[in-house]
Amino acid sequence: MRAQFRLRIRLILVCLLLVAFLILTRLYFVQIIQGDEYAAKADRQFASSSSGLFDRGSIYFTRKDGTLISAATLATGFLVAINPQTLTDPEGAYTTITAAASSTLMRDAFMTAASKKSQVYIEVAHHLSESAGKELAAKKIPGVQVLRERWRTYPGGVLAAQTVGIVSYGSGDSLAGRSGLEAQYESTLARSSDALYKNFFAQLFSSAGNVLVDAKNVREGDIITTIEPEVETRLVEDLAKVTAKYSSKESGGIIMDPRTGAIYALATNPTYDANDFSNTKSGLFKNPLVSNVYEFGSIMKPLTMAVGLATGSITPESTYKDTGCIQIDTRTICNYDLKARGVIPMQEILSQSLNVGVSWITAQVGTEQFRTYFTKLFGEKTGIDLPAEGSPLLRNLQSPRQVEYANMSFGQGISVTPIQMIRALGALANGGAMVRPHTVSAVQLDSGVVRPIDWSGTTPVFSPEVAREVSTMLTSVGDHSIAGGAHRIPTTSFAAKTGTAQLVNPAGGYYKDRYFHSFFGYFPSYNPRFIILLYTNDPQGVQYASETLTSTFVDLTHFLIDYYQIPPDRGVPTAQSASPTTL
Amino acid sequence: MPKRYSRTALVLALSPRTFLLWLAAALFVAYLALIAVVMSYAALTVEFAQSVRSDEATVAILEREYLSEVSAITSANYALVGYAKPVAVLFVPGAPGTALR
């Protein structure tokens, strides 16, 4: 009897094991072999994606204390849609909706929509606030639906608008980043349409394989930029003043850490409000700092000086005879004031911004070495993490004519983007090595992991000694030459140089009375924390950059010293010797 | 004196049909519980996700106010609010610099 019972139990166990094995085999086929097919089927049958609710990662500014401030995020609210077939009182509905919606709702358009009796769903108002949406929904107007909505919002409005970029519909029917960081980091910011399912039960089984390793978890996240909102605001305001004061075609500026390439601020004027760009000219979406090339003029001279020193063609003690004008090939190159200076040292070339002087240096360097150094400085794109970086125009570096090299030595006949220019000039502030300019420091993944981006690679161009020699010269320019030394800061050294270039005439040659003004500087001179590049294109009623951009540069310098509490690097007086500086 | 059986013996004493019926009933209850848990999880997830989004939107409004305040301060004309430009600036000794020449 007992043996028979055991036999039965064993038989049942065998049966159970057999059934379990069959189920496992079936599960293997269903989930592994035919998993994708069933997942797709489950999607179609049970899971309706939540693509109706827009979702996207955020872009953050980073304050100096590390606090993240949204540059681009999502706003939530409601949209209003009508069902013309069930809308019984269009006039009353229009009045009620108009009272709730902050955006203007045209009466004619609403009535036209309401008359389309063949349709059941027409959206008539967007971006209602939480309170307005809930209030309207509570009225339960027949034929009116109040549905939740999310949309992209830019808390800063015009702040770094061209850098942050926009999200809009392109040729397809999906919202995507179209410019700036929104486009550059689209794969990180975009959210998969299957991110949220209405049927979680279906999701649980159809996406079981994703529980352990989900590819989008290592891709999707938020973007953390290096842009400091208060510095950016200051730059935006200052550039707006320059553009307005001189009726310039455009003005722009970049503030960067020359040691790392982290960009604290970059702005252009005119710009646009990222929250309302419907009437913005398409050209404004392009970032001129990255895409446009300009002839920068005399801010190129420090680089020519550095090339002269690096090749051993000159020393800081070298002298030359300045005749005011020189003949090269068939062309005459003159100083800005046509005046001769006689025998003068190298410092004076930068202090007085002498075209003849840098042309002389270029002749000493020779075309071959000049080409080698300028190709190293500008021959390739910076690789900045912004779309549509422009290519420099370096055709003249292949010219056999000496005059072209002389022109390039003072920044004419060579066109580069502002970001390429600040990268090259940054070598003087960074011991002779060019850094990789960038606007994004890290990606914050949805999993919470912050993944820093490595921008550490540098390109050595000059030796640290050469960079220091040129910094000394440029510091002298800042202390004594710019506005006659009126802006000298007793406790902080700064290296600076102005540039005034004639604008290219499309008909040929250059305009005699239209200019491109530029200004660059870095401070403290021998251990720089910031490098600033400013420009204003075609300012009216003024000839030299020293008149248009000096006060802006000085204002930004003082602001940054105060804001970042940059310690003094020179001339800290004793209490007894301190004397007031008259403004 | 009644004979005492262990728990294992009682289970083994059940007929296979009864045992399987109990097992099926237990599994069915567990299945229903699982559905209940998953549905509750789904509802809470949707609710929390919306709550997070709403909070983020509220923060965005605060950030907009902060940035507009920064802009207002930056563009403020101090002369208009009664401040005068100092006639002289005195640079006084401070903490030693970290990058002295």
Side-chain angles (χ1 to χ4, degrees), chain B:
Chain B
M1 188 175 175
K3 194 177 180 181
R4 298 190 64 173
Y5 296 98
S6 69
R7 187 172 292 174
T8 311
L10 279 173
V11 170
L12 290 176
L14 290 173
S15 73
R17 181 189 289 177
T18 311
F19 173 74
L20 289 175
L21 278 174
W22 277 109
L23 187 64
L27 286 173
F28 182 67
V29 170
Y31 176 70
L32 291 179
L34 183 63
I35 289 178
V37 168
V38 168
M39 294 311 288
S40 303
Y41 165 75
L44 285 173
T45 303
V46 170
E47 196 178 316
F48 289 159
Q50 185 53 49
S51 171
V52 168
R53 289 301 187 193
S54 297
D55 289 347
E56 283 179 351
T58 307
V59 171
I61 292 168
L62 294 172
E63 288 170 331
R64 183 190 295 262
E65 287 175 12
Y66 160 70
L67 292 171
S68 62
E69 285 296 322
V70 169
S71 180
I73 292 167
T74 303
S75 60
N77 185 340
Y78 297 107
L80 286 180
V81 291
Y83 290 97
K85 197 174 178 181
V87 292
V89 173
L90 179 64
F91 288 87
V92 297
T98 56
L100 295 175
R101 284 170 69 176

Side-chain angles (χ1 to χ4, degrees), chain A residues 184-444:
Chain A
Q184 184 75 15
Y185 289 92
E186 171 67 18
S187 62
T188 303
L189 294 167
R191 293 293 179 265
S192 314
S193 59
D194 62 351
L196 191 63
Y197 283 84
K198 286 177 182 170
N199 189 326
F200 283 80
F201 194 64
Q203 185 197 16
L204 191 68
F205 292 104
S206 66
S207 307
N210 292 340
V211 171
L212 293 177
V213 179
D214 189 349
K216 66 179 192 281
N217 284 343
V218 296
R219 187 186 70 236
E220 296 179 354
D222 302 323
I223 298 298
I224 300 173
T225 72
T226 57
I227 298 171
E228 213 286 346
E230 299 202 21
V231 179
E232 178 72 26
T233 302
R234 189 78 174 203
L235 183 62
V236 167
E237 298 282 347
D238 281 359
L239 291 175
K241 286 177 192 167
V242 170
T243 307
K245 186 173 181 182
Y246 299 105
S247 304
S248 303
K249 189 176 163 189
E250 61 163 322
S251 303
I254 304 171
I255 300 174
M256 186 177 86
D257 184 338
R259 303 165 302 178
T260 64
I263 293 175
Y264 293 112
L266 69 172
T268 56
N269 187 281
T271 183
Y272 62 91
D273 184 346
N275 292 313
D276 182 19
F277 54 81
S278 53
N279 297 319
T280 302
K281 291 177 186 170
S282 59
L284 279 182
F285 294 120
K286 191 169 74 167
N287 191 339
L289 299 166
V290 173
S291 301
N292 290 2
V293 293
Y294 305 98
E295 295 187 20
F296 276 89
S298 294
I299 62 172
M300 195 69 83
K301 284 174 182 163
L303 293 173
T304 303
M305 181 67 74
V307 171
L309 293 168
T311 55
S313 310
I314 59 168
T315 67
E317 293 74 36
S318 299
T319 58
Y320 82 106
K321 186 178 181 183
D322 190 288
T323 54
C325 288
I326 51 171
Q327 191 83 16
I328 302 177
D329 297 332
T330 56
R331 302 266 297 278
T332 303
I333 286 176
C334 295
N335 291 329
Y336 68 95
D337 56 0
L338 310 178
K339 290 180 182 170
R341 267 76 176 174
V343 178
I344 53 171
M346 294 298 100
Q347 173 66 55
E348 290 307 309
I349 293 176
L350 295 182
S351 295
Q352 299 186 50
S353 198
L354 301 175
N355 295 343
V356 172
V358 283
S359 299
W360 177 83
I361 292 175
T362 306
Q364 307 308 304
V365 169
T367 56
E368 195 62 43
Q369 294 204 86
F370 187 91
R371 182 186 303 119
T372 301
Y373 272 92
F374 268 58
T375 302
K376 204 179 280 185
L377 287 165
F378 300 111
E380 58 185 31
K381 294 180 180 179
T382 65
I384 189 172
D385 50 352
L386 286 170
E389 182 177 358
S391 295
L393 301 181
L394 306 175
R395 214 170 25 245
N396 285 333
L397 280 178
Q398 305 307 321
S399 172
R401 296 173 4 122
Q402 177 66 31
V403 66
E404 309 293 3
Y405 295 87
N407 278 334
M408 285 187 282
S409 71
F410 51 87
Q412 298 265 198
I414 178 170
S415 300
V416 299
T417 66
I419 201 71
Q420 287 156 1
M421 194 69 206
I422 197 170
R423 178 183 183 238
L425 291 168
L428 302 175
N430 187 43
M434 292 196 297
V435 291
R436 299 166 67 194
H438 58 272
T439 57
V440 173
S441 60
V443 173
Q444 184 172 273

